[in-house]
């Protein structure tokens, strides 16, 4: 593909990636493209992971620090734009939509990550400001399958394995275990933030909507509409709550009245791996890459480039010291 990074000093290694969510698979693709031998081990296969639940709108949500997140998001935006352009089977497309607010807003902190942002004047009732922009949207089951296909065609493997500790026997292990890093990274600062989504029948919606004040969003896909959400810190239950479903549907219908009466097809819950800051650093023979919060899709390609640099020569692109992203 024409979007691989160039100019890195490479030493070919045997790499084990732990985790087959969007972060682990994207890292695996980039590492394989860089010429490494890569095996992915995961307890949950891609369609069983949190990543499969993501809406999945490119949007830097619940992930820090802001400067690194903006940079990773900008890289990911460009790569997903190129994928949407070149591969219609990837499940990724560019879609215009609007983030709305009840008060006048300044530009978002991640402004430099998107090519264009327009103040919106045609707003739903109850809102007084909004930003309209075009952003990548991924139909996650399709996109995760596409990523697995890339891993396999580049010669990587994917094996189900429930690990009690990071594996041995590789030159480098890349820890993309999300919430699993509580065990595999002995890191209690990564916590679940529970999110519930509903899938509604498509009613002809062709743009996304997001309420900047809270976890309400409406993201159309080819055959359904993902409607969310919730944001419950420290909650581990993966069972959808009927009360949350009613609340989500009410909020979403206020935001997009055209959803009224649309049939609910199914519901899902995912646990966002939230951390005070994304952990992307090399410690000995382990590169940690987890804690992407509500933005794993949004950060995936930017983080993967940095992982490749850390695997190759132990230094972040641009010479930043390992650990610099870990706040
Ligand atoms: C409702 C909801 C909506 C979201 N919407 C968006 C969105 O619109 N845009 C966006 O960018 N992000 C969104 N997110 C966030 C996004 O889903 C996460 O940031 C992302 O999935 C994190 O990816 P990951 O690969 O790090 O983790 P995961 O997808 O959780 O994958 C972790 C992997 O590690 C494996 N693992 C863990 N422990 C072990 C172990 N002991 N042994 C072996 N393997 C192990 C797991 O089995 C799994 O394969 C949303 C999340 C939710 C819940």
């Amino acid at each position: 593909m024409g979007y691989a990074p160039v100019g890195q000093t490479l030493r070919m290694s045997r790499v084990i990636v732990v985790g087959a969510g969007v972060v682990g698979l994207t890292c695996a693709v980039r590492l394989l493209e860089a010429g490494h031998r890569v095996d992915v081990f995961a307890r949950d296969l891609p369609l069983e992971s949190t990543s499969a639940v993501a809406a999945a709108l490119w949007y830097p949500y619940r992930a820090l620090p802001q400067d690194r997140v903006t940079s990773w998001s900008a890289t990911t935006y460009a790569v997903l734009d190129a994928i949407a352009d070149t591969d219609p089977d990837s499940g990724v497309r560019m879609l215009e939509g609007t983030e709305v607010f009840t008060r006048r807003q300044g530009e978002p902190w991640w402004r430099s990550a998107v090519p264009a942002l327009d103040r919106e004047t045609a707003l739903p009732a109850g809102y007084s400001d909004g930003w309209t922009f075009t952003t990548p949207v991924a139909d996650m089951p399709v996109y995760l399958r596409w990523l697995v296909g890339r891993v396999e065609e580049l010669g990587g493997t994917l094996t189900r394995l429930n690990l009690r500790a990071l594996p041995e026997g590789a030159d480098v292990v890349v820890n993309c275990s999300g919430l699993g890093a509580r065990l595999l990274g002995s890191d209690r600062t990564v916590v679940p933030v529970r999110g519930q989504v509903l899938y509604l029948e498509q009613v002809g919606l062709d743009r996304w909507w997001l309420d900047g004040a809270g976890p309400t969003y409406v993201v159309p896909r080819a055959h359904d509409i993902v409607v969310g959400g919730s944001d419950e810190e420290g909650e581990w239950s993966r069972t959808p709550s009927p009360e949350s479903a009613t609340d989500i549907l009410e909020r979403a219908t206020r935001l997009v009245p055209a959803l009224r009466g649309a049939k609910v097809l199914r519901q899902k819950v995912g646990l966002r791996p939230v951390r005070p800051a994304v952990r992307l650093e090399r410690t000995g023979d382990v590169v940690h890459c987890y804690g992407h919060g509500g933005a794993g899709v949004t950060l995936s390609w930017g983080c993967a480039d940095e992982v490749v640099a850390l695997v190759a020569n132990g230094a972040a692109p641009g010479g930043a010291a390992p650990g610099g992203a870990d706040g």
Side-chain angles (χ1 to χ4, degrees), residues 18-24 41-45 49-51 53-59 161-164 176-180 183-184 193 195-197 217 270-273 289-290 292-298:
V18 176
V22 69
V23 173
F41 296 161
R43 182 193 58 212
D44 308 302
L45 294 178
S49 69
T50 298
S51 299
V53 183
L57 188 68
W58 177 103
Y59 186 90
L161 210 55
N162 186 2
L163 298 164
R164 297 167 68 97
C176 302
S177 58
L179 257 189
L183 172 70
L184 298 181
V193 174
Q196 182 165 331
V197 287
Y217 46 82
L271 306 178
R272 301 177 184 89
C289 183
Y290 62 82
H292 297 79
V297 182
T298 307

Side-chain angles (χ1 to χ4, degrees), residues 222-289:
H223 303 294
D224 57 12
I225 302 171
V226 188
V227 164
S230 63
D231 208 348
E232 300 156 77
E233 191 147 345
E235 273 298 327
W236 286 93
S237 168
R238 288 177 195 261
T239 307
S241 132
E243 294 77 26
S244 290
T246 305
D247 178 47
I248 289 167
L249 213 45
E250 268 175 30
R251 282 187 275 121
T253 308
R254 243 188 337 260
L255 184 60
V256 184
L259 295 179
R260 194 169 305 284
K263 191 172 160 198
V264 178
L265 304 175
R266 58 196 181 280
Q267 304 184 41
K268 266 194 178 176
V269 168
L271 306 178
R272 301 177 184 89
V274 172
R275 192 174 185 271
V278 175
R279 187 175 187 196
L280 209 179
E281 65 172 340
R282 180 166 178 158
T283 309
D285 294 337
V286 178
V287 175
H288 294 283
C289 183

Side-chain angles (χ1 to χ4, degrees), residues 5-6 35 37 51 58-59 99 107 126 145 159 161 189 205 207 228 264-265 284 289 298 307 312:
V6 289
R37 181 180 153 199
S51 299
W58 177 103
Y59 186 90
E99 179 175 17
E107 290 194 333
R145 274 192 217 106
T159 305
L161 210 55
T189 69
L205 196 70
R207 63 185 346 268
V264 178
L265 304 175
C289 183
T298 307
V307 164

